[in-house]
């Protein structure tokens, strides 16, 4: 199994334990900051400073941050650019622990309510995030399996960013379009032809996933 995984992507140059700890702490505090900011926007929507309110009204940022696409993209970037698959698991888990904990602590102790059913979804997602991050790290490998994995990840992101069906297709918002473009850039292959093929396959997979699993986290 280890040989198979190494054939997909090898761990990069090792870094010191101090660097590993610092990187994880930075990711943890990034999660805390973004989780707090997300809940602040949602809770103080009518009382935001004028500039922030104008930006939020123009781009609907508080609803954008309440959907999954942006968080999946951030986790994907953390995973892909981690030093190894194990480090990807640790860093992504730290990010979601910080983000989810700060969001729901703010919700419970400052906003004064705790949406239990919705929180359970995020707690579950946080619990499985190390495994997902471990797998996603190999998407930047050079094998056919890595190519398929990249297309599958992009397909999931496609279904989070766009809504479609028989006779209609639209983006959830301009910010979700940007999220999908960034996801494509992060997962792009070494050649334009391979990247275009990955994008095409990902859209086909997205449509198939939408048929098999019509519910997805938007």
């Amino acid at each position: 199994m280890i040989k198979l995984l190494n054939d997909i992507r090898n761990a990069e140059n090792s870094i010191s334990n101090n660097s590993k700890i610092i990187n994880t702490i930075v990711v943890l505090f990034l999660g805390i900051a973004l989780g707090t900011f997300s809940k602040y926007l949602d809770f103080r929507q009518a009382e935001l400073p004028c500039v922030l309110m104008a930006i939020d009204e123009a781009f609907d940022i508080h609803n954008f941050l309440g959907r999954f696409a942006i968080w999946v993209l951030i986790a994907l970037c953390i995973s892909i650019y981690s030093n190894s698959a194990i480090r990807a698991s640790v860093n992504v888990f730290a990010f979601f622990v910080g983000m989810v904990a700060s969001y729901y602590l703010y919700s419970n102790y400052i906003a004064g309510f705790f949406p239990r059913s919705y929180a359970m979804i995020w707690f579950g997602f946080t619990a499985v995030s190390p495994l997902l991050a471990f797998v996603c790290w190999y998407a930047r490998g050079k094998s056919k399996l890595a190519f398929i994995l990249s297309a599958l990840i992009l397909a999931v992101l496609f279904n989070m960013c766009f809504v479609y069906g028989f006779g209609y297709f639209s983006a959830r918002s301009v910010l979700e379009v940007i999220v999908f473009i960034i996801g494509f850039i992060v997962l792009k292959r070494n050649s334009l032809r391979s990247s275009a093929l990955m994008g095409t396959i990902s859209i086909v997979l997205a449509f198939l996933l939408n048929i098999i699993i019509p519910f997805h986290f938007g």
Side-chain angles (χ1 to χ4, degrees), residues 4 42 50 64 94 123 125 136 139:
L4 174 63
D42 186 46
C50 58
F64 169 68
F123 293 162
F125 193 79
C136 286

Side-chain angles (χ1 to χ4, degrees), residues 39-88:
K39 189 58 191 179
Y40 168 76
L41 279 184
D42 186 46
F43 180 56
R44 300 292 186 185
Q45 183 184 355
E47 305 171 4
L48 296 173
C50 58
V51 174
L52 188 56
M53 181 178 291
I55 295 173
D56 184 54
E57 289 177 351
F59 295 102
D60 196 24
I61 296 176
H62 71 279
N63 282 324
F64 169 68
L65 293 176
R67 296 190 287 266
F68 269 80
I70 181 60
W71 306 110
V72 170
L73 175 65
I74 294 172
L76 175 64
C77 291
I78 293 172
S79 173
I80 290 289
Y81 294 110
S82 291
N83 184 257
S84 68
I86 296 296
R87 293 296 306 153

Side-chain angles (χ1 to χ4, degrees), residues 140 158 215:
R140 280 297 293 269
F158 184 92
F215 174 79

Side-chain angles (χ1 to χ4, degrees), residues 63-180:
N63 282 324
F64 169 68
L65 293 176
R67 296 190 287 266
F68 269 80
I70 181 60
W71 306 110
V72 170
L73 175 65
I74 294 172
L76 175 64
C77 291
I78 293 172
S79 173
I80 290 289
Y81 294 110
S82 291
N83 184 257
S84 68
I86 296 296
R87 293 296 306 153
S89 296
V90 172
N91 289 335
V92 169
F93 182 67
F95 172 79
F96 276 114
V97 166
M99 188 273 286
V100 173
S102 62
Y103 184 95
Y104 286 106
L105 285 173
Y106 190 114
S107 181
N108 190 60
Y109 292 105
I110 298 179
F113 68 97
F114 184 79
R116 183 177 299 274
S117 59
Y118 196 58
M120 289 301 104
I121 295 174
W122 278 105
F123 293 162
F125 193 79
T126 300
V128 301
S129 65
L131 176 60
L132 297 176
F134 185 93
V135 173
C136 286
W137 185 82
Y138 288 96
R140 280 297 293 269
K142 302 183 184 301
S143 69
K144 292 180 180 178
L145 187 56
F147 179 90
I148 294 171
L149 181 58
S150 294
L152 183 59
I153 294 170
L154 200 61
V156 172
L157 198 59
F158 184 92
N159 281 344
M160 291 180 175
C161 296
F162 302 97
V163 290
Y164 54 89
F166 185 75
Y168 70 93
F169 179 88
S170 67
R172 294 185 181 276
S173 74
V174 65
L175 294 178
E176 260 93 359
V177 174
I178 294 172
V179 164
F180 182 76

Side-chain angles (χ1 to χ4, degrees), residues 21-41:
I21 294 171
I22 291 172
N23 290 346
T24 301
I25 291 174
V26 168
V27 168
L28 173 66
F29 277 96
L30 174 64
I32 293 172
L34 290 178
T36 303
F37 178 68
S38 176
K39 189 58 191 179
Y40 168 76
L41 279 184

